[in-house]
Amino acid sequence: MAQNWTAEIRSQEGKGASRRLRREGKVPGIIYGADKDAVSVAFESNFIKHAFENVDLFNTVLTIDVKGGETESCVVKDMQRHPATGEVSHIDLQRADEKSMLTKRVPFVFTGKNVAPGVKMGGMMTILQPTVEVRCLAKNLPTSITVDVSKMEAGTSLRLSDLALPEGVSITALSHGNTDYDQAVVNISKPKRKG
């Protein structure tokens, strides 16, 4: 899911300049990476406020049209919020061209709980990892990874290596080649015996 954003180049930097920008209804940001110089930018704060209502935003490749600069493909690398108001106060954007590999945290979406045999028997499903770090090209970046638990029996778990991954996506923990990193993602306990 692509999104188009518009930014303007910031000529002044530093805390004072950032405070002035925020008073003018703008959010300072920076675009960096891909062996190019970093570019200081600013966004309309109302636009940013609404953009961050989308939970998939951190795993979406954005097209940033920089007025007076060039159009950049980026992903949100970091975002700071004001401690009191919760308003977005700064955004870090990493360039994401076709050739660059990205390492990002992606949420799991668990499906099939209602039909899982282990849950039907009275077992409790426990999510052990809500997210996972993946590595892929920007064009392959998933907004989430679906974990199908519909066939899980009581007393079993699904590990990272059991997951079906989108094409071109790898889990960084599994790249170590050590089974210690193949952690359980979800398990279903055996039902407690009534006695």
Side-chain angles (χ1 to χ4, degrees), residues 136-151:
C136 60
L137 290 169
K139 67 177 182 178
N140 295 334
L141 183 64
T143 53
S144 62
I145 293 176
T146 301
V147 179
D148 182 6
V149 299
S150 61
K151 294 181 175 53

Side-chain angles (χ1 to χ4, degrees), residues 15-27:
K15 286 185 177 177
S18 293
R19 269 197 297 273
R20 278 193 297 281
L21 268 176
R22 289 185 199 104
R23 278 198 299 268
E24 293 166 12
K26 296 191 179 359
V27 176

Side-chain angles (χ1 to χ4, degrees), residues 48-63:
I48 294 300
K49 182 179 178 181
H50 293 300
F52 276 95
E53 290 170 357
N54 179 353
V55 293
D56 294 337
L57 186 67
F58 279 91
N59 298 314
T60 300
V61 177
L62 309 171
T63 301

